[in-house]
Amino acid sequence: MSTGTSSAGPRRPRQIEAAWALTLAAVAAEVLVWVLGVFVVAPTGLDELTEHAGRSGAITQLALSGGVLAVLVTAWLAVAARMRAGRGWARAVLTVAGAAFLLFRVGDFGMDGVDPVWWGLVNALPDLLAAAAVVPMYLPEARAHFPARVRRAA
């Protein structure tokens, strides 16, 4: 009799699960920052866009922005799922993305100077989580999760 608790394959290393959890947290934080920036934190993106493009233009622009965010977040999660499944290319993509997020964030600190400090920190959270998700993927136990490439003889 099977209890349903056993798995057919080997378990994933804890480090891979930690990278997955950090990626999920980064994605959730990215969506939260978008929602807060558009609807909550003054001046909201909706207010600013309404001032420049009118109510209809603002709604159209925010719908487009939300759609692009949904596509990017879906792609991010799809690549992260491939990393979790042991695909080395996905680990490389997440590494480049995590480094890019961090570099863009460092380059953006203090550029406008009008946002409150707490908002700058909240805004940086998704980037910091994405960069932090890279670290566990390269720890020794996690490396074994990604099969080495087999080189073909020429």
Side-chain angles (χ1 to χ4, degrees):
M1 176 181 222
S2 175
T3 61
T5 58
S6 65
S7 64
R11 293 181 49 109
R12 287 183 199 95
R14 285 186 337 244
Q15 293 80 6
I16 296 301
E17 292 303 314
W20 172 250
L22 285 166
T23 300
L24 292 177
V27 167
E30 189 69 48
V31 172
L32 177 65
V33 165
W34 186 86
V35 169
L36 289 174
V38 169
F39 300 110
V40 178
V41 177
T44 67
L46 178 60
D47 293 341
E48 289 180 338
L49 284 171
T50 301
E51 187 177 308
H52 292 290
R55 187 77 169 167
S56 176
I59 291 171
T60 301
Q61 182 63 35
L62 290 177
L64 179 62
S65 173
V68 168
L69 179 65
V71 168
L72 292 175
V73 163
T74 300
W76 190 357
L77 289 173
V79 171
R82 299 304 181 272
M83 176 280 301
R84 192 173 182 219
R87 305 296 188 272
W89 65 265
R91 177 175 67 162
V93 168
L94 292 172
T95 300
V96 170
F101 286 149
L102 196 57
L103 288 174
F104 287 134
R105 179 56 53 196
V106 168
D108 190 44
F109 274 136
M111 291 299 277
D112 57 13
V114 295
D115 290 332
V117 172
W118 71 268
W119 178 239
L121 294 173
V122 170
N123 220 349
L125 184 61
D127 303 327
L128 296 173
L129 288 168
V134 172
V135 174
M137 291 187 281
Y138 287 91
L139 294 175
E141 295 84 8
R143 283 191 212 143
H145 185 64
F146 301 99
R149 269 189 125 172
V150 178
R151 295 182 185 221
R152 296 181 192 178

